[in-house]
Amino acid sequence: MTPWHRTLSSCRPPAPDATRRDAGITLVELMIAIVLMSVVFVGVLAYFQLAMAANLRVSTQATYSQELSLMASLILDGSDGRYRGLRQARAVHASHGHGYVSYTFVYGGSDAGHSETYWSSNGQLYRSRGAGIPEEMGSATGLEITAVDGVGNGVYSLVITGATGKVGGTEYATYVRLRNYSP
């Protein structure tokens, strides 16, 4: 044999079975990759679902807290020039109705004939001016206006409890000193 013949025979391409064994992935490897990708995908979806539910819950509670704050502001300072509010009152009288307590603010001086009443009934907060028609202020299951002992004369606490249909356990509380207090 000549050296030339050896060179030509060594240039022959490899057998087709030899290349097939080294190329691609097996069915088992493909199935494992699909299972791992689906587990990761389900985990990512669960994370986003929990995050969106928590965000909705927090934003709902924040919105409702703002509504309670607005209602408290309307009780404290009045509105529309028709309501004077708790801050301008001379005294607060509580009276018990059917399943609720109403709070009537009485005024002195030039407003001596004016009175306002606030109460919570059936999950709603109401107000009326004198013997007028009650107006609905918003959703609230409770209203409590009480004199604060030990702080000084004419200091009251105002607590509005959130409606359970909205966000249970939400509460807004504040203190106010009556400007025209008279025992």
Side-chain angles (χ1 to χ4, degrees):
M1 273 203 177
T2 64
W4 189 251
H5 177 32
R6 270 190 211 156
T7 308
L8 288 176
S9 66
S10 63
C11 290
R12 195 176 345 159
D17 290 341
T19 58
R20 214 182 241 174
R21 275 184 261 139
D22 293 339
I25 58 173
T26 65
L27 185 59
V28 172
E29 292 170 335
L30 181 62
M31 289 173 56
I32 290 172
I34 289 173
V35 167
L36 288 176
M37 286 184 348
S38 63
V39 166
V40 168
F41 184 69
V42 167
V44 168
L45 282 178
Y47 173 77
F48 280 116
Q49 183 180 8
L50 288 173
M52 291 189 58
N55 184 30
L56 178 64
R57 194 170 39 249
V58 167
S59 67
T60 301
Q61 187 164 4
T63 300
Y64 193 59
S65 294
Q66 289 173 345
E67 289 176 21
L68 291 178
S69 174
L70 177 63
M71 287 187 283
S73 176
L74 291 175
I75 293 171
L76 292 175
D77 297 319
S79 63
D80 301 332
R82 299 176 344 162
Y83 290 94
R84 310 287 192 279
L86 176 61
R87 202 178 306 273
Q88 298 297 328
R90 182 177 56 88
V92 177
H93 300 292
S95 60
H96 296 279
H98 297 293
Y100 65 90
V101 177
S102 64
Y103 301 93
T104 302
F105 307 159
V106 291
Y107 301 89
S110 63
D111 289 336
H114 182 80
S115 68
E116 298 174 11
T117 304
Y118 295 83
W119 70 96
S120 176
S121 177
N122 298 324
Q124 295 296 318
L125 186 63
Y126 296 96
R127 70 179 176 182
S128 67
R129 195 173 59 140
I133 299 171
E135 297 178 20
E136 190 175 296
M137 294 180 68
S139 299
T141 57
L143 173 66
E144 185 179 336
I145 302 173
T146 55
V148 178
D149 295 330
V151 175
N153 293 335
V155 177
Y156 283 80
S157 69
L158 167 69
V159 178
I160 302 175
T161 307
T164 55
K166 299 278 188 178
V167 180
T170 304
E171 193 173 79
Y172 184 86
T174 189
Y175 293 97
V176 64
R177 179 180 298 276
L178 304 186
R179 291 182 182 150
N180 302 311
Y181 176 73
S182 175

